[in-house]
Amino acid sequence: MKYQLVSGLETHVELATATKIFCGCTTAFGGAPNTHCCPVCTGQPGALPILNKRVVEFAIRAGLATHCTINTTTHLDRKNYCYPDLPKAYQISQFDKPLCEHGYVELESGKKIGITRIHIEEDAGKLVHESGFTFIDYNRGGVPLIEIVSEPDISSPEEAREYVEKLQLIMRYIGVSDCKMQEGSMRCDVNISLMPVGSEKFGTRTEIKNMNSLSYIEKAMAYEYSRQAEILDNGGEIVQATMRFDEHTGETSVMRTKEDAQDYRYFPEPDILTVVIPEEKVEEIRASLPELPTDKLKRYINDLGINPANAQLLYKYKAVCDFVEKAISLGAGVKNTVNLTVGTLYSKLETEDDKERFSLPVTAEEIAKLVKYADEGKINITLAQKTLAKMAEEGKPVSAYISESDLAGVDDGELEELCKKALESNPQAVADFKAGKEKAIFALYGYIKKATQGKADIKKADAVLRQLIK
């Protein structure tokens, strides 16, 4: 039988606040175990939580950026469960009145993945399993999270990956998180069920916990689809359960039977007052949002005329976009600015993190000068590329590599004489060109480039050469 995959994701995003959600401990990644914690975040008797205002503001930013409605009156709840990484034996979260509801994320296809809710909560500590022992590091305990819960609108592993990538990009753009999955600042719980194609009744779901890699999400979903399909084909029933994914075997396995909301015995957090958010504050946050990634991509293609492939390579990295847009605002042409950035500067950036940081020693002002020289025909694009590569390596300005004589170029009379010499020196290329071999003219270009050290305008030279060959 053929089955339709039905999936929804619960995505946990660590917020980029300086301190934890209910205390003044640092949220910095790393540090010696149990050095970033205090009586509040380790649940000591008598220690009382105080809600971090910045957490609420960041969550509202996330909600507005994903088209959610903001609940201006909300509260926090206790989610009760007993596990070693949660010393209070409950987590302060939100249940019936989340901060944000009813939003969506739009995929490239135009399909909208609905967002049920975004709520704030505290992270738990970390269990470290070594040499047969389990150690607990509470540094992460109390780090502020938002949990973004999607509707079961995802129909394939590929859609799940794109949805997470879009969320990651949005959160980075609006500055609420770095979303580094390898450091745990973005993690996904993946809910999966199957139903016969054509059916409208969802199957029994399983939940794959704590996925921190886009590729693992795809692999885990593909395996779980196959596992459930095999059980159903053999007449079995899916058991609702919490699963783990083994990245070494590529298989999922049952951790425990799945809890439902009633198992957590939610009740309102008595130590934190109801949160009331003025409408003016929501509008102030809305007005402070930057241009969102999807809007930027559309503007790059439709308004700036950047080809879609290059636009896709640019818009994913906000620091790169800021750099390119500033250079363009200083008078640099769009086409050459984009091509030099993607073609030359990206070659100096090995990883996604490198592009995200974009910390090359080249300023927008300097690349704008270089691009304007190329735009005005004072230097050719090859020289611009070589110059920019040196600037990125050595951190020196354009003037360190391009002199006044370089900018003088080659006058029309000199160019015509060079073209004549090129024809005299390359009789075979001329004969081949006359015989219809268009590419033969490149040998003539090469002669002129070498003779002028790349300063000649090859477009002009092409016109002169073709006129002389007639």
Side-chain angles (χ1 to χ4, degrees):
M1 185 180 290
K2 291 185 177 180
Y3 300 100
Q4 175 61 55
L5 182 147
V6 179
S7 178
L9 270 60
E10 299 167 17
T11 306
H12 295 84
V13 176
E14 285 189 1
L15 299 179
T17 56
T19 56
K20 294 185 179 182
I21 187 169
F22 301 122
C23 67
C25 292
T26 179
T27 57
F29 178 74
N34 299 308
T35 57
H36 295 173
C37 49
C38 71
V40 173
C41 54
T42 54
Q44 301 302 309
L48 295 175
I50 299 174
L51 180 59
N52 185 337
K53 179 181 176 183
R54 194 71 168 154
V55 171
V56 177
E57 292 174 350
F58 275 16
I60 293 172
R61 286 178 74 80
L64 293 174
T66 51
H67 314 284
C68 287
T69 299
I70 307 302
N71 289 321
T72 53
T73 300
T74 185
H75 63 264
L76 288 105
D77 300 278
R78 287 190 181 181
K79 179 181 180 180
N80 295 275
Y81 66 94
C82 196
Y83 208 63
D85 59 8
L86 196 68
K88 297 193 295 286
Y90 64 84
Q91 178 192 39
I92 302 178
S93 180
Q94 291 189 291
F95 178 51
D96 62 319
K97 197 71 171 176
L99 192 56
C100 315
E101 294 183 285
H102 313 308
Y104 66 87
V105 168
E106 186 173 349
L107 305 184
E108 294 294 330
S109 65
K111 180 178 179 179
K112 292 179 179 178
I113 305 300
I115 290 176
T116 311
R117 57 188 281 143
I118 300 176
H119 63 259
I120 58 175
E121 63 186 22
E122 60 182 332
D123 207 345
K126 182 180 180 181
L127 299 182
V128 181
H129 307 285
E130 290 181 2
S131 306
F133 295 92
T134 297
F135 303 93
I136 308 174
D137 180 4
Y138 288 122
N139 280 352
R140 196 176 67 186
V143 168
L145 299 176
I146 51 174
E147 182 174 343
I148 306 170
V149 182
S150 85
E151 295 285 344
D153 293 339
I154 295 168
S155 305
S156 69
E158 294 75 24
E159 281 189 356
R161 181 183 184 123
E162 185 183 350
Y163 166 76
V164 175
E165 286 178 328
K166 296 287 186 189
L167 269 186
Q168 190 177 51
L169 197 55
I170 290 167
M171 296 304 130
R172 286 175 174 170
Y173 256 65
I174 64 176
V176 303
S177 177
D178 59 22
C179 289
K180 292 181 179 178
M181 298 188 80
Q182 71 276 17
E183 293 183 4
S185 58
M186 187 178 195
R187 313 187 293 277
C188 296
D189 299 337
V190 182
N191 293 282
I192 294 178
S193 67
L194 303 187
M195 64 181 181
V197 171
S199 173
E200 294 183 359
K201 183 181 178 181
F202 289 172
T204 301
R205 66 184 172 89
T206 58
E207 181 182 27
I208 310 169
K209 294 290 285 185
N210 290 325
M211 304 297 296
N212 65 351
S213 158
L214 293 169
S215 62
Y216 291 160
I217 288 172
E218 286 188 285
K219 291 175 183 176
M221 290 180 71
Y223 179 83
E224 186 62 12
Y225 176 95
S226 299
R227 187 189 75 85
Q228 291 190 23
E230 183 177 357
I231 291 172
L232 294 172
D233 284 341
N234 291 326
E237 293 185 356
I238 305 300
V239 176
Q240 185 174 337
T242 298
M243 317 290 288
R244 68 163 57 88
F245 175 69
D246 188 323
E247 58 200 57
H248 302 294
T249 65
E251 298 177 353
T252 59
S253 59
V254 176
M255 292 169 59
R256 58 184 181 270
T257 55
K258 175 63 182 169
E259 304 92 343
D260 285 314
Q262 62 265 27
D263 295 316
Y264 292 124
R265 294 172 289 115
Y266 282 99
F267 66 87
E269 168 56 62
D271 291 331
I272 299 176
L273 296 173
T274 296
V275 179
V276 179
I277 304 152
E279 287 285 356
E280 311 87 75
K281 184 63 179 178
V282 175
E283 293 310 309
E284 178 187 321
I285 294 171
R286 191 192 305 275
S288 72
L289 289 175
E291 180 182 36
L292 296 175
T294 301
D295 297 330
K296 188 179 289 291
L297 179 62
K298 291 175 181 176
R299 180 170 63 84
Y300 278 8
I301 295 170
N302 299 329
D303 297 346
L304 294 184
I306 299 173
N307 75 62
N310 279 345
Q312 287 279 354
L313 291 172
L314 285 176
Y315 94 109
K316 294 181 179 180
Y317 313 104
K318 188 172 184 300
V320 177
C321 291
D322 292 343
F323 173 83
V324 167
E325 291 185 29
K326 185 172 182 182
I328 293 170
S329 74
L330 293 170
V334 173
K335 182 178 179 181
N336 280 334
T337 302
V338 171
N339 288 343
L340 285 170
T341 300
V342 172
T344 302
L345 294 183
Y346 272 20
S347 68
K348 307 295 181 183
L349 303 166
E350 296 181 358
T351 67
E352 293 293 297
D353 280 350
D354 290 339
K355 291 173 185 174
E356 188 66 37
R357 288 192 298 270
F358 198 66
S359 57
L360 292 174
V362 179
T363 65
E365 289 79 5
E366 287 300 316
I367 194 174
K369 290 178 186 176
L370 182 67
V371 169
K372 283 191 276 189
Y373 291 154
D375 291 342
E376 294 163 5
K378 293 181 178 178
I379 61 173
N380 63 38
I381 197 64
T382 302
L383 180 57
Q385 290 167 343
K386 291 178 179 178
T387 301
L388 185 58
K390 290 178 182 177
M391 290 166 63
E393 290 171 4
E394 301 171 6
K396 295 178 182 177
V398 177
S399 58
Y401 308 100
I402 297 179
S403 65
E404 289 299 321
S405 61
D406 291 322
L407 297 175
V410 178
D411 65 37
D412 291 347
E414 186 181 354
L415 182 61
E416 185 171 352
E417 288 302 314
L418 280 168
C419 288
K420 290 177 181 177
K421 289 180 181 178
L423 297 178
E424 292 169 3
S425 301
N426 295 275
Q428 187 59 53
V430 174
D432 289 344
F433 183 78
K434 286 181 175 180
K437 296 180 180 179
E438 184 72 22
K439 290 185 178 179
I441 201 167
F442 287 107
L444 307 177
Y445 294 166
Y447 178 93
I448 294 167
K449 285 180 181 179
K450 185 176 180 181
T452 62
Q453 296 182 329
K455 290 189 288 183
D457 185 332
I458 294 302
K459 286 185 179 180
K460 282 186 178 181
D462 177 83
V464 174
L465 287 167
R466 292 174 186 274
Q467 185 64 37
L468 292 172
I469 289 173
K470 282 183 179 179

